[in-house]
Amino acid sequence: MNKLSLTCILKMGAPENGAIQRHQYSSVSSPSTPSEQDLGFSTYYEEKVHIPEDVNQMFSFRKLWAFTGPGFLMSIAYLDPGNIESDLQSGAKAGFKLLWVLLLATIIGLLLQRLAARLGVVTGMHLAEVCNRQYPTVPRIILWLMVELAIIGSDMQEVIGCAIALNLLSVGRIPLWGGVLITITDTFVFLFLDKYGLRKLEAFFGFLITVMALSFGYEYVLVKPDQGDLLKGMFVPYCAGCGPVQLEQAVGIVGAVIMPHNIYLHSALVKSRDVDRKNKKEVKEANKYFFIESSVALFISFLINVFVVAVFAQAFYGKSNADVIQKCNETGIPHSDLFPPNGTLEVDIYKGGVVLGCYFGQAALYIWAIGILAAGQSSTMTGTYSGQFVMEGFLNLRWSRFARVLLTRSIAIFPTLLVAIFQDVQHLTGMNDFLNVLQSMQLPFALIPILTFTSATAIMNDFANGYVWKILGGILTLIVCAINIYFVVVYVTSLNSVALYVMSALLSVAYLCFVGYLVWHCLVSLGVSCLDFRSRVRHSALTEEQADDDS
């Protein structure tokens, strides 16, 4: 029996009510006609960036500049307030010892982002659109809901991060709920900057990344971390004297860096470049330049994360609350009541700013807040784009751009406002841990589909993953999912509630069943034909029909 393509295995029956038919796609032909696929859509890329012609050049900086943009927007997810909080807690709890985990997580993230970019370039569709065409209705809806949960969780962290920054900058005059409203409003304004040109919008994101680099770089220069300890922590994969606290922090770093909605986002952003998918050479060239650009962008984001880890590792590792209280009283910085007299120092984004102010002056506090504001604002904007791409891809929406932005913002605004109204700005760490767990649980719903579709020859044609990438991608996906499941288990067991244990067990069964379904499709696409039950049933039926005809 000939090996069936993944698309044949997963495709649905004939479409109804004008729905787009699911069929086999190749890497050099458009998945559908412009009237079906492109017309009526108004997203981040209303006009595509032209790629200059450079004949007979192995590498061109002009072309690299033309492709520069999507990778930096993608890299912002590695710099959101959730990541910054994970960085500062890593430094405060483990010193420089977990920098190698941050480096490893960033490298894994780069490899996964490479798959996302290749899918968008080769197929001309982003991951949500491919999921819409390849999965049956019920799994597709479940997958969409899971990704939406991840986006909501990330969005809440980002918006509240902005609100905390505004609270610090205003010396408490802007309450948390007020900062949330300001962030949501200015996000609407900034999102429509692409009306003035896509490159201007990308330049604005570049400006925000520069603000983060300067802000956290200033803190780094001010604190003057020990360079020997920093390099040792970055390149020696060992954690001397570490216990459960440091292990949980290492798991938290991986969970904070690799975010599910970012895979969907990157696969969509690369569509903003004018690449002729019928020209195999252009597709190959686009894949090369996007990988170079993503590598540069993630290297910069890694440096910014290192700045934050190093500052808190050098200045606050091993410090107690009593040390901080004494220092705050000496310098006259308010909020020393945030730190109970007994115990080791525990910090979050808000407390981290206060501690910096106590030790290094008011300027350090305000510059820290500016960096957090840039991180939160930029990641909030990219989170909104993720929501648009995911919703229009999974649901095949044909709404106006403003309506889609309004809906995707509204999905996250209400839970975020409730948290802002009823939760004290000084005690948000517990909510942040819950949101990290929520996003960790959604990781398989991005990693498994991206590995499935980039490994399917029927979808990627000559650009499908080879054996090395299939094995490497499978191992990376397994490692990341296992690490994050451990993170979830640790969080749930810390709740100390039998009712929550029972509810978690029931949800876990349903969760694992759906993950198993996605894994089954993935294994079939990787060539494990013995699991292709449907094709065997069809083959058996055809054999019986042929026998009846012969008789």
Side-chain angles (χ1 to χ4, degrees), residues 163-427:
I164 289 174
L166 291 171
N167 182 274
L168 286 171
L169 287 170
S170 65
V171 198
R173 292 187 180 90
I174 299 178
L176 195 61
W177 61 268
V180 169
L181 292 177
I182 293 173
T183 302
I184 291 170
T185 303
D186 63 29
T187 298
F188 269 107
V189 175
F190 292 143
L191 278 172
F192 287 92
L193 284 176
D194 63 354
K195 288 291 184 182
Y196 300 97
L198 175 59
R199 299 295 271 177
K200 290 184 176 64
L201 177 69
E202 292 175 345
F204 179 68
F205 278 99
F207 168 74
L208 292 176
I209 293 175
T210 303
V211 171
M212 284 184 266
L214 293 176
S215 299
F216 300 132
Y218 169 83
E219 310 284 359
Y220 181 87
V221 172
L222 186 67
V223 173
K224 298 177 182 177
D226 185 286
Q227 301 303 304
D229 289 342
L230 186 148
L231 292 175
K232 180 180 177 182
M234 189 180 299
F235 296 110
V236 179
Y238 182 68
C239 190
C242 292
V245 173
Q246 288 75 24
L247 177 60
E248 291 176 24
Q249 194 58 50
V251 172
I253 290 173
V254 178
V257 167
I258 303 172
M259 306 180 73
H261 68 277
N262 208 35
I263 304 291
Y264 288 85
L265 175 67
H266 198 198
S267 66
L269 294 176
V270 296
K271 292 172 59 180
S272 61
R273 267 48 185 179
D274 187 13
V275 177
D276 183 6
R277 293 178 47 250
K278 296 179 181 179
N279 187 324
K280 185 176 178 180
K281 180 181 177 182
E282 284 195 24
V283 173
K284 186 176 181 179
E285 185 179 66
N287 286 331
K288 177 182 76 173
Y289 281 106
F290 275 131
F291 181 67
I292 295 172
E293 185 237 3
S294 297
S295 301
V296 173
L298 287 187
F299 176 72
I300 293 173
S301 72
F302 172 72
L303 289 181
I304 295 174
N305 283 313
V306 168
F307 289 162
V308 178
V309 175
V311 165
F312 283 83
Q314 182 69 33
F316 307 117
Y317 176 54
K319 291 286 194 304
S320 66
N321 286 332
D323 297 329
V324 175
I325 293 173
Q326 180 182 354
K327 197 69 177 178
C328 289
N329 290 335
E330 290 176 359
T331 55
I333 300 293
H335 306 308
S336 61
D337 57 312
L338 290 174
F339 310 99
N342 299 322
T344 57
L345 176 64
E346 293 188 6
V347 287
D348 52 27
I349 290 178
Y350 183 80
K351 294 177 182 177
V354 173
V355 170
L356 285 171
C358 291
Y359 274 80
F360 303 104
Q362 290 277 13
L365 187 154
Y366 292 132
I367 292 173
W368 168 262
I370 290 171
I372 296 298
L373 181 62
Q377 186 63 70
S378 57
S379 54
T380 299
M381 293 166 65
T382 54
T384 303
Y385 278 126
S386 298
Q388 288 185 66
F389 294 136
V390 165
M391 188 167 291
E392 72 186 22
F394 275 108
L395 304 184
N396 198 26
L397 290 181
R398 290 294 186 272
W399 290 5
S400 70
R401 185 170 182 273
F402 179 79
R404 289 200 309 276
V405 174
L406 182 63
L407 179 60
T408 52
R409 295 307 298 146
S410 300
I411 289 176
I413 185 175
F414 292 110
T416 306
L417 269 178
L418 289 175
V419 169
I421 292 171
F422 295 106
Q423 186 71 34
D424 189 343
V425 68
Q426 302 172 5
H427 304 90

